[in-house]
């Protein structure tokens, strides 16, 4: 017995093929931070790192948030007003599924830390906003 293909199957198959062909490719793979480190100088915090698993994205948005506060030589935090949250972000180019980033956050505490105090950073969070990936230092 000879089977005949339905006339409906051919156009439906062509339509499904076109949908697969015209659909955009996945934008990202499995985004994750490979390395992340922080350094300080005066009232600035610089967070550098490398992210991978970005698929074919051209760029990612990296944001850093952190708390800054004044601490005296005894390790005490004398004024509640001297603790504030700060943040910064940058669009970072990605190539071959990877991105190297460096984001600098500057603390402008009011009032400033006195000379007998030092500025201490805490709760440092690095976020790839594009892929919804975060890490805490």
């Amino acid at each position: 017995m000879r089977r005949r293909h339905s006339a409906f199957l051919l156009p439906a198959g062509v339509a499904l093929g076109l949908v697969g062909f015209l659909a955009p490719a996945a934008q990202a793979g499995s985004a994750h931070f490979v390395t992340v480190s922080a350094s300080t100088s005066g009232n600035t915090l610089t967070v550098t790192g490398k992210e991978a698993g970005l698929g074919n994205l051209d760029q990612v948005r990296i944001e850093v948030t952190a708390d800054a506060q004044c601490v005296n030589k005894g390790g005490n935090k004398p004024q509640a007003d001297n603790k504030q949250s700060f943040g910064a972000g940058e669009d970072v180019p990605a190539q071959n599924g990877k991105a190297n980033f460096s984001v600098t956050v500057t603390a402008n505490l009011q009032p400033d830390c006195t000379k007998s105090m030092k500025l201490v950073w805490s709760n440092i969070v690095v976020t790839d906003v594009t892929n919804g990936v975060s890490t805490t230092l």
Side-chain angles (χ1 to χ4, degrees), residues 4-86:
R4 300 183 84 190
H5 295 290
S6 168
F8 175 74
L9 290 178
L10 181 59
V14 170
L16 285 174
L18 285 175
V19 168
F21 178 73
L22 296 175
Q27 290 297 308
S30 179
H32 61 280
F33 293 106
V34 178
T35 60
V36 180
S37 63
S39 62
T40 61
S41 176
N43 66 337
T44 63
L45 167 73
T46 302
V47 177
T48 58
K50 179 178 182 178
E51 186 178 17
L54 301 176
N56 62 353
L57 291 174
D58 292 333
Q59 70 179 19
V60 292
R61 175 78 181 171
I62 302 294
E63 294 185 355
V64 175
T65 58
D67 295 334
Q69 63 186 353
C70 297
V71 176
N72 66 22
K73 291 179 183 179
N76 299 316
K77 302 157 192 107
Q79 291 183 359
D81 291 345
N82 280 25
K83 180 178 181 184
Q84 296 174 12
S85 294
F86 296 93

Side-chain angles (χ1 to χ4, degrees), residues 77-108:
K77 302 157 192 107
Q79 291 183 359
D81 291 345
N82 280 25
K83 180 178 181 184
Q84 296 174 12
S85 294
F86 296 93
E90 292 188 18
D91 292 326
V92 179
Q95 189 173 30
N96 298 324
K98 299 174 190 162
N100 294 313
F101 60 89
S102 179
V103 178
T104 299
V105 180
T106 302
N108 294 312

